[in-house]
Amino acid sequence: MQARNDWEASATRLRGNVHHLFEELAALTINQPIDPEHEEDDLIAWLSELCLLSNVPYHYLIPSESLLPNNAIRLFYLNPNWQQALVDGACSLGRNASLDLTHDQALIEAVFAKIGKRMKAVRPLLQKKALLSEKLEEGVQVIGGFIVRSPLVRGWRGLEFRALSSEGKPLRALRIETLSDDVLIGLFDGVPYTLEIAQPPEGFFFGFNRFNGQFFKRLRSFETGELLAESDTVEVAVHNEKRRTIDVCQTVKNMEEFFQKDAFTSAEFALQMIKTPYIGKVIRNDEA
């Protein structure tokens, strides 16, 4: 009987020592720098993509078609507890003994912290962009995003999406990818309160506005290129309305008078005539 008690006690002490060892390993792991190009990073890279919902079946994301009808967009955020359960489930495939469970329980927080840092590298690496190690020092805390179902996804492949926080600060894009011909998902480092959807950059063109039968051009700052106030406009002179041509020389003179410049260069005139692609905004309303 004493021998059995000693054996059971030794097993308990052994588990305690092993758990303590794993805890020390976790403390070292959580502060390890992330190296996206290191071969040992493959598992963390795969788990990072999993936390960004890559390779997650579509019907897990949208269990019912009524949740995302045609011509609809939905804003959401990912529950960190759900993400941690997802990682724990993925790691459970290799558990064969109680020792494996002890190992995972001690290291799951450290692994999840590394995943939070590594998620910032997923999109830049896919785009083959340079990535500074300083940007991976802090992990992603909360992930928010959107999912849209619209013919726009199929018709305009170059659409650009920009998310802003409740304070109006731009959020880092973690994943923007089409899931089907008409469904697109976007994930950001933070919860979007405003989502801007812009036409592709190649949609730049020259243009002006028409009001009460006359044509006007809203001017831009030469320093920043930003549009000036709505009242800062000049008349666009028409050369032949039937042929839809404008009098460039007179229009340039109107701009010179506004800016009080002696002469406009062709580049300055081009800057003023640019009409940027249209931008649509989706603004979150918590009161709805």
Side-chain angles (χ1 to χ4, degrees):
M1 179 61 70
Q2 184 62 37
R4 179 173 179 176
N5 291 338
D6 291 342
W7 179 82
E8 290 179 349
S10 64
T12 302
R13 286 195 298 271
L14 177 61
R15 291 192 185 95
N17 292 334
V18 169
H19 194 275
H20 179 68
L21 178 63
F22 287 154
E23 286 179 343
E24 290 185 348
L25 179 61
L28 294 174
T29 303
I30 199 169
N31 295 319
Q32 262 188 341
I34 296 294
D35 184 3
E37 298 182 358
H38 200 281
E39 293 182 358
E40 295 180 359
D41 185 60
D42 288 347
L43 179 57
I44 296 297
W46 182 81
L47 292 173
S48 301
E49 294 177 9
L50 185 65
C51 283
L52 293 177
L53 307 181
S54 296
N55 300 317
V56 175
Y58 180 77
H59 63 274
Y60 284 9
L61 304 177
I62 309 294
S64 173
E65 187 176 0
S66 62
L67 297 176
L68 189 67
N70 287 321
N71 298 311
I73 186 168
R74 298 288 185 263
L75 300 178
F76 61 87
Y77 88 101
L78 288 181
N79 189 326
N81 293 327
W82 184 88
Q83 286 180 288
Q84 191 160 337
L86 180 65
V87 171
D88 182 62
C91 294
S92 68
L93 298 176
R95 292 175 190 155
N96 296 312
S98 60
L99 187 62
D100 297 327
L101 178 60
T102 302
H103 173 275
D104 289 355
Q105 287 175 338
L107 267 73
I108 188 64
E109 293 290 344
V111 170
F112 201 64
K114 292 192 69 174
I115 291 172
K117 299 175 183 179
R118 182 58 175 73
M119 281 192 287
K120 291 183 177 181
V122 173
R123 181 171 166 82
L125 289 177
L126 288 174
Q127 296 176 331
K128 301 186 184 303
K129 292 183 177 180
L131 186 65
L132 299 176
S133 58
E134 293 81 5
K135 293 186 177 181
L136 303 180
E137 291 179 355
E138 295 184 5
V140 175
Q141 300 299 320
V142 180
I143 295 179
F146 71 92
I147 188 165
V148 59
R149 182 181 181 189
S150 168
L152 288 173
V153 177
R154 178 173 57 252
W156 284 269
R157 290 291 182 179
L159 285 175
E160 294 191 346
F161 299 88
R162 181 169 175 261
L164 304 175
S165 67
S166 56
E167 295 82 19
K169 296 180 180 180
L171 301 177
R172 177 196 296 270
L174 300 175
R175 180 191 179 197
I176 297 179
E177 187 176 353
T178 55
L179 301 180
S180 68
D181 286 342
D182 60 349
V183 177
L184 181 143
I185 190 172
L187 298 174
F188 299 90
D189 183 4
V191 179
Y193 277 75
T194 301
L195 179 67
E196 296 180 351
I197 307 174
Q199 286 180 306
E202 56 267 26
F204 277 93
F205 59 93
F206 283 0
F208 42 85
N209 298 324
R210 183 171 185 170
F211 183 72
N212 290 337
Q214 291 184 304
F215 300 100
F216 294 91
K217 181 60 184 177
R218 185 177 173 185
L219 302 176
R220 295 177 176 272
S221 166
F222 284 116
E223 288 74 23
T224 65
E226 298 291 331
L227 289 170
L228 299 177
E230 293 187 8
S231 58
D232 293 332
T233 61
V234 297
E235 182 180 355
V236 177
V238 178
H239 179 71
N240 189 320
E241 188 171 354
K242 290 184 179 180
R243 294 187 177 182
R244 303 177 66 186
T245 58
I246 68 172
D247 188 339
V248 175
C249 292
Q250 184 58 50
T251 303
V252 170
K253 289 181 180 179
N254 295 341
M255 293 181 179
E256 290 172 348
E257 290 178 4
F258 180 90
F259 287 104
Q260 298 180 356
K261 290 174 65 72
D262 293 334
F264 251 43
T265 65
S266 58
E268 290 172 334
F269 176 69
L271 173 64
Q272 297 302 329
M273 292 303 295
I274 284 177
K275 192 173 182 64
T276 55
Y278 290 105
I279 297 177
K281 292 185 178 181
V282 178
I283 301 175
R284 175 176 167 181
N285 185 0
D286 291 335
E287 297 179 358

